Amino acid sequence: MFETIDKARQIAVIGLDRIVDYLELLRIEIDIQRHDVSVRLLSLAASLFFVLMAGFFLGLAIIVTYWDSSYRIVAAWSVAGVYILLALFAFWRARQHLAAPPMFATLKQEMQDDIKMLKDLL
């Protein structure tokens, strides 16, 4: 009986000690996630702005080049079609690359390891 009480006391001490570690790890993971999201959003916004500007001026240059010819309408529709295809491709690629690692993965792993250790102690 004293052995069970001693094991329970050891588990309680380990659990209380680890709670502080869990809270610190949670704070660190939140900071990391916040930084990753802000960097991704900023880079995505900058990329989007410059891609839109480059595409707009490229399309405008193509249409102006063919303005005085009989291919003006074909050039305008071709530019619009290319914009649509590029938008679909960009959307497809963005969906592939925006997958982030699961939030709180490290915290979850640490808690699972501690639960396994506690089960082994019992």
Side-chain angles (χ1 to χ4, degrees), residues 30-76:
I30 288 173
D31 288 343
I32 290 170
Q33 288 293 327
R34 184 181 308 128
H35 180 264
D36 286 347
V37 167
S38 63
V39 166
R40 284 182 184 181
L41 287 177
L42 263 165
S43 63
L44 185 62
S47 297
L48 181 64
F49 174 75
F50 288 113
V51 165
L52 287 174
M53 292 302 291
F56 173 75
F57 284 112
L58 178 66
L60 189 63
I62 291 170
I63 292 170
V64 167
T65 302
Y66 288 99
W67 191 258
D68 289 330
S69 72
S70 61
Y71 298 109
R72 177 181 8 174
I73 295 173
V74 173

Side-chain angles (χ1 to χ4, degrees), residues 13 23 38 51 82 86:
V13 168
L23 292 175
S38 63
V51 165
V82 168
L86 287 174

